[in-house]
Amino acid sequence: MALLAFFFLPLFPFSAVFNAALRALRVAWLRAALLLVWPQIGVWLIVDAGRHLPPDWAAAMLAWATGSSLFYAWRMLSTRDFDIWIGFYASSAWALAWIGVVGGADAMGLRVAMACMSVTALALALASHCLRRRWGEAYVGLRPGLARAMPRLGLATTLSVLAALGAPVFPVFFAMIYLLGLANAATVVGVLVVWLLWGWAGAQIWQGFLFGTPHVEHAFEPSLRDIPVSWTVLVALLAVAAIVAASLWSMTWLMH
């Protein structure tokens, strides 16, 4: 059971299975299901099943999990394909679940923490899907000026990346604080470095997509190519709902 959990709460090199599956799936709703369900299977395998890691494994598991998360956070810096970037982000974020496993997190708390990570990865995947539908690809730096060419999609992408970086009030922020509260001093340092690398990688996404002058063929595209206003409103409402839900969840453990 623990070995299977290494695939679903991905530790390197087992995380290659998830990244290969994400790249192979091109249907939007299948990718969404994969991002939402994958880590929940891991939580079920290792926590809901009542499995407990031997005490002698604790230090090794924390080092392995932190190392895996750091590895994929570093890989995000050199990745230009947005879809691959999202896969690396999810792998880096989900590996941190082992901090909760070793730290004795309850099943519900760990499930919610992983759901916060998954929903954010899903938001990034939807932004990438919209980019590919409109430009044919989603490579960082290849087509700059998204904020001018498609301001509504640019706004949605900005919010998605902010959420992925764990900015305050977004769900990932509360999930990271929850996991940090279960970590030891050495692991906290590693997680903070991961958080820093996410911010660096996110800045590259903004610079590559949002800023700059749009290419000539996209500079005067009709506004119909942007996402509809109704989609923008829906994105904003879902973002507010996620923030409120994560805030209410945080109150349940901050008070203790």
Side-chain angles (χ1 to χ4, degrees):
M1 296 286 279
L3 181 61
L4 286 175
F6 293 164
F7 288 93
F8 292 99
L9 298 176
L11 296 173
F12 182 82
F14 300 97
S15 45
V17 175
F18 162 73
N19 284 282
L22 186 66
R23 287 196 293 270
L25 291 176
R26 289 300 175 186
V27 181
W29 69 268
L30 287 176
R31 290 169 64 87
L34 183 70
L35 289 168
L36 292 175
V37 172
W38 192 272
Q40 300 299 331
I41 296 174
V43 174
W44 176 78
L45 287 170
I46 197 66
V47 179
D48 285 353
R51 303 286 176 176
H52 299 283
L53 294 173
D56 295 341
W57 286 25
M61 288 304 306
L62 287 176
W64 190 4
T66 307
S68 297
S69 185
L70 281 167
F71 172 73
Y72 279 106
W74 181 257
R75 290 291 306 276
M76 288 165 64
L77 297 175
S78 60
T79 301
R80 293 294 175 263
D81 188 310
F82 198 20
D83 282 338
I84 296 177
W85 191 95
I86 293 165
F88 288 168
Y89 168 76
S91 299
S92 179
W94 293 342
L96 299 177
W98 290 97
I99 296 174
V101 173
V102 174
D106 62 280
M108 181 55 66
L110 201 54
R111 281 192 179 280
V112 176
M114 291 300 99
C116 290
M117 308 289 194
S118 293
V119 168
T120 302
L122 174 58
L124 291 167
L126 291 176
S128 176
H129 176 73
C130 290
L131 287 169
R132 289 188 181 278
R133 287 287 300 271
R134 285 156 177 79
W135 280 348
E137 74 285 309
Y139 288 98
V140 178
L142 186 60
R143 297 185 185 274
L146 178 64
R148 289 178 56 188
M150 302 178 195
R152 291 191 292 274
L153 180 54
L155 175 62
T157 304
T158 300
L159 289 175
S160 300
V161 174
L162 270 176
L165 304 186
V169 312
F170 285 101
V172 170
F173 172 78
F174 297 107
M176 293 293 282
I177 296 299
Y178 175 76
L179 293 173
L180 283 171
L182 299 170
N184 58 32
T187 306
V188 165
V189 174
V191 174
L192 291 178
V193 174
V194 168
W195 212 340
L196 177 64
L197 291 175
W198 287 356
W200 187 0
Q204 290 184 340
I205 294 294
W206 281 325
Q207 184 177 5
F209 281 125
L210 298 176
F211 306 119
T213 302
H215 291 184
V216 174
E217 65 270 25
H218 298 291
F220 302 102
E221 288 282 359
S223 59
L224 291 176
R225 288 185 58 85
D226 204 348
I227 60 175
V229 176
S230 59
W231 288 20
T232 309
V233 174
L234 180 61
V235 168
L237 291 175
L238 290 175
V240 171
I243 290 169
V244 171
S247 301
L248 293 175
W249 167 63
S250 69
M251 293 179 187
T252 64
W253 49 266
L254 282 175
M255 290 187 297
H256 294 83

